[in-house]
Amino acid sequence: MNILVVLAVVAAFGLLRFGRVSLLVWAGAWWVGIYVLLRFGFTAPIPASVVSLYMGIVSIAILAYVSSSQERRDEISRPLVRFMTDKRYTAFLAATVVAIPALAAANVYVQMNVPLQPPLFSRTVHPASPSEITVHDKKIDLDAGENPFRHLEASSPTEFRTHVENGRKVYYRNCVFCHGDNLAGNGMFVHGLDPIPTNFTDKGTLPMLRETFLFWRIAKGGPGLPEEGGPWDTAMPAWEKFLKEEEMWEAILFLYDSTGQRPRAKEEAAK
Amino acid sequence: MTSRVMRAAAISSGCLAFLIALLCAVLTGSARAAGPNMGTEAQRESGKKLYLTYCSQCHGDAGDGEGYAASRLYPRPRNFTTGKFKVRTTPNGALPTHEDLVNIIKRGMPYTSMPAWPSLSDGQLSDLAYFITTFSPDFSDPEKAPKTVSLPGAPKSTKESIEQGKKLYAETGCDGCHGTLGRGDGPSAPTLVDDWGHPIRPADLTQRWTFRGGSSREDIFRTLSTGLNGTPMPSFLDALKDEERWAMTDFIDSLSESHDPGYTDLVVARHVLDPIDLTKGTAYFESARVARFPIIGQITEPVREFHPPTTSVTVQAIYDTESIALLVRWHDMSAQKTGKNGPSLPVPPEEEEGAPAPAAAGGAQAVTDPFAEEQPAPAAQASEFSDAVSIQVPSQVPTGARKPYFIFGDAQNSVDLWFFDLARPDPVQFTGRGSGNIAPNDTGDLTGVASYDQGEWSVIFKRPLRATSGAPFSPGQFMPIAFSVWDGLSRERGNRRGLTVWYSLYVEPETVPSAVGPMVKTALLILAIELAVIGWVRWRYGSRTRGEFGGKPTQPAATRA
């Protein structure tokens, strides 16, 4: 939530409350207030179509409320009628009558001139992995499996470091062009890639994934993704074509080591 | 007083080296600006740690440019032991200043694998720069302490200065390397090598975003003034006066159409009235918007290309009642019009490693005097592989999100390849079902022409909108489209090529609907509703106030509308 916006809306409501404004103003205020909250109140923006859906519901609710008793109907219609009949407001009324169609026409113009956009398709970034894959004629269990070098971290730290260093070599000879020098997904070819390569320094990526999941993604790459993952666009190579199985596990060690992150444990990743 | 506190602190931390360095710093104080500036022991130590984490994989533990990633990078990572640095504010051949090093590490070098390091703090950058000075003995030589050249501020760029720069450009001999139009295609371009013996291409001056040292006018002026050490690109500090170098800068500045490449993801095919006639060439495409797509190395399928010389293509499209035509252009240092090429030519895996093919034979000597009156153009050699280009479209219009795999399709979803081996007169068609499964599919539908002029390939493909095989192009529809470029000189063929991912082609309907009609309609409709409501309200409630209106029914809105 965007606290500032929420506070501003609440403050405006407070002011109106003290000002003892009419029901018409209240109805308008609720409409505008909720719109502002939907549009600007959330840090992650809500899609325009969803906003208009909510606003439709809000409009109906407000209409239902103001027309629910004769008293309210009168309270709403009185100022409106006065606006439309009272001589004092004639100029105002004329301006409003012209302004509304003009705004609507402008809206039509804007909608017809939206810049041409190629069709966009959403894709699932982390689709569920299969439970078993075959890499270099060897079956690898992704559900129960583990990185074969992970246990060395505790039992034989020096040996573990060797594997991390090997992983580093694999990374800088193969992955750096896309995933970048500091693993932030900004290699020298990113300007020509869509979707863009994963940023491994992002706190919400590596720690959320199991090492076997990464192994699947690395071994099978873009072509190995299921339908919802969009295998036709991502340039992520199927590394089984280039690397030995150990090299892929070592690259994974390096990814975690270099970014100072921990893989997700097996229990946490209950499917 | 302070020095005693500092001394005490240093001793208590038991770091003698640190103490000595500090004392040196205090004692030499002002004198240092003139002498070597290599930082303190502590700074270099901290720099070393950072270097071994972030830089050594490319530049090597010993700073010799032979890190384990190096064999796949081009230009090669810099060998720091030679003390040669491209981007400096110091005279040709001189060492860079500390600030020069900090700046270039921070900014990186565009279109090379030398990344920008915005994530490192100023202190870390400074430590790294100090550490790098330890690789070359030159930095500790007081005789060689760098002095900056004077780089006066920029005068305003004017029509006259650009004209003057243009004249100087030819007079000074830039065109010998950079080509008449600045496309990097001068006669000696294919023969150039850098000081480490690797072939090097003159910059494409019409694509300033690729400049290694940055693309602002100040950057260009600095490059012209100080040259790029270790490369054939000379310094013009002595040959040209300040104003002349600024004029030249303005000229180069004017060569790129924009500051940024302006990469897009969409090319729009515009309808033309006259039937498309290939003999009319590129002039026909003038009405069509230019789309620039980035080209990257094909590094997804074996055998990979890590450093394609082509960095982008521009594409324009038109269509008439019968056919669609696409014009694809890109800059190429030299045209390879002999030899062969093909989308599925095999490449031995060894070719992945190492720098691109050596410069044309006898090149190194040919450029010892770049300002020689007559540049003997290197004899046109028969190349083994020709230049080539292809357009890729799905064989069937995709119905949903599912497209064929972007590298030559896949088993379920094939692609049509419009392939033009530029050693041949005509393009041919292939059907791609993956890199390993490409078959000729020549229906004779595809025609085309290609020409090479002043460093630029212009290739036109033409195909019926509805061909005997392949997806139809229909107005108002988007079609996925992708491109590949092969540079024969770099021995690119088959999978070793530059490519794009999927982008879109939009066939713009012949008449774009005007917004005026719907706008007027909407406005009138709303106005009518308003007037009806107001009229009703006045009729219904107006009786109470009718006296006020006094029989003159004001209808301001109606009169205005």
Side-chain angles (χ1 to χ4, degrees), chain A residues 83 85-95, chain B residues 538 549 554-556:
Chain A
F83 179 60
T85 51
D86 198 325
K87 209 172 169 184
R88 264 185 299 168
Y89 300 121
T90 309
F92 234 2
L93 180 65
Chain B
R538 288 199 168 182
F549 288 107
T554 39
Q555 289 252 322

Side-chain angles (χ1 to χ4, degrees), chain B residues 486-516:
Chain B
W486 288 263
D487 179 50
L489 187 70
S490 309
R491 303 175 59 77
E492 289 184 337
R493 62 207 187 273
N495 276 350
R496 279 205 62 214
R497 66 181 187 280
L499 51 61
T500 73
V501 295
W502 282 122
Y503 292 109
S504 290
L505 172 88
Y506 178 69
V507 185
E508 189 179 73
E510 188 177 341
T511 48
V512 182
S514 148
V516 176

Side-chain angles (χ1 to χ4, degrees), chain B residues 352-370:
Chain B
E352 270 189 0
E353 309 284 325
Q365 289 86 339
V367 290
T368 39
D369 182 8

Side-chain angles (χ1 to χ4, degrees), chain B residues 369-389:
Chain B
D369 182 8
F371 305 109
E373 278 298 292
E374 273 299 301
Q375 272 295 337
Q381 295 182 344
S383 52
E384 184 175 356
F385 299 105
S386 47
D387 291 336
V389 58

Side-chain angles (χ1 to χ4, degrees), chain B residues 104-121:
Chain B
I104 198 68
I105 299 170
K106 188 174 190 170
R107 290 168 54 167
M109 302 175 87
Y111 292 81
T112 77
S113 56
M114 173 64 199
W117 295 95
S119 54
L120 296 179
S121 72

Side-chain angles (χ1 to χ4, degrees), chain B residues 152 155 161 164 168 221 240-250:
Chain B
S161 67
Q164 189 199 355
L168 285 166
F221 181 74
L240 298 172
K241 293 199 280 290
D242 285 348
E243 310 83 74
E244 291 174 324
R245 267 175 283 126
W246 271 116
M248 187 94 88
T249 301
D250 295 338

